[in-house]
Amino acid sequence: MEHLDAYAKYLNFLLSQSTLLSWTEARFRIPKTQIASGLLVLTVATLSLHIGHLTISNALTILAPAHMFLESAISNDNRRTQSIGLYFLLLKLINTFQNFFYAPICAYLPLWFLVKVVFCWWLVLPSSRGIEIVYGKVMPYSSLILGYLSSEKDTS
């Protein structure tokens, strides 16, 4: 118990030395210990996101769309199945780009994984209909490309 009391006194001494904490405590009437603990929690959360961001972003961008893909395939909704297939193609292109240019991306966009997750969720969420917009823009050109490729195949 003595160690905890000594630690608490030392912590109070350190907190009393910070002018920013003193100003924040006086301005917002929040105790310094709560401010410091909040900053500590924020730091730990930021570090854990930084360490596990690839796992988190991959889980968020794959699991829900895979479930939506299975639902659309079971319900025989061909357009929805094709649009979610296009989503997975775009996700693969984004991940390939990320693998090649990870260091420069993180240098300019430190929260790259959040940008990627937000973009992917914009594509997938039914309220935004992002993948439907992209699918509508890409499909006319895909038939031209596929037609060109099949004509090349027939001539050879």
Side-chain angles (χ1 to χ4, degrees):
M1 196 70 173
E2 292 175 18
H3 295 326
L4 290 177
D5 290 336
Y7 181 73
K9 286 179 184 176
Y10 181 67
L11 187 61
N12 283 333
F13 170 73
L14 288 178
L15 292 176
S16 67
Q17 299 301 313
S18 172
T19 55
L20 178 64
L21 283 177
S22 299
W23 177 84
T24 307
E25 181 182 42
R27 175 93 167 108
F28 298 106
R29 296 190 176 114
I30 300 173
K32 290 179 190 176
T33 53
Q34 287 182 356
I35 297 168
S37 61
L39 290 174
L40 182 65
V41 167
L42 182 66
T43 303
V44 168
T46 304
L47 286 175
S48 63
L49 280 176
H50 183 68
I51 292 168
H53 73 277
L54 290 175
T55 306
I56 293 168
S57 66
N58 284 335
L60 289 175
T61 56
I62 292 174
L63 293 178
H67 178 69
M68 296 168 95
F69 181 78
L70 288 175
E71 283 181 348
S72 66
I74 290 170
S75 67
N76 291 328
D77 185 2
N78 288 337
R79 181 169 169 83
R80 184 77 177 146
T81 304
Q82 288 176 350
S83 64
I84 295 177
L86 177 63
Y87 164 79
F88 281 112
L89 178 67
L90 288 174
L91 180 65
K92 185 60 181 171
L93 289 174
I94 291 169
N95 284 340
T96 303
F97 180 77
Q98 174 182 322
N99 290 339
F100 283 123
F101 302 108
Y102 185 73
I105 289 172
C106 286
Y108 291 108
L109 284 172
L111 297 176
W112 159 250
F113 68 98
L114 286 177
V115 172
K116 180 176 123 179
V117 168
V118 166
F119 176 71
C120 288
W121 277 86
W122 173 78
L123 288 173
V124 171
L125 287 177
S127 60
S128 67
R129 297 176 29 143
I131 196 64
E132 309 253 336
I133 294 168
V134 173
Y135 182 77
K137 301 279 185 191
V138 169
M139 279 316 287
Y141 299 109
S142 67
S143 61
L144 290 173
I145 293 169
L146 292 175
Y148 176 76
L149 291 177
S150 65
S151 68
E152 287 288 320
K153 190 181 203 182
D154 293 337
T155 58
S156 54

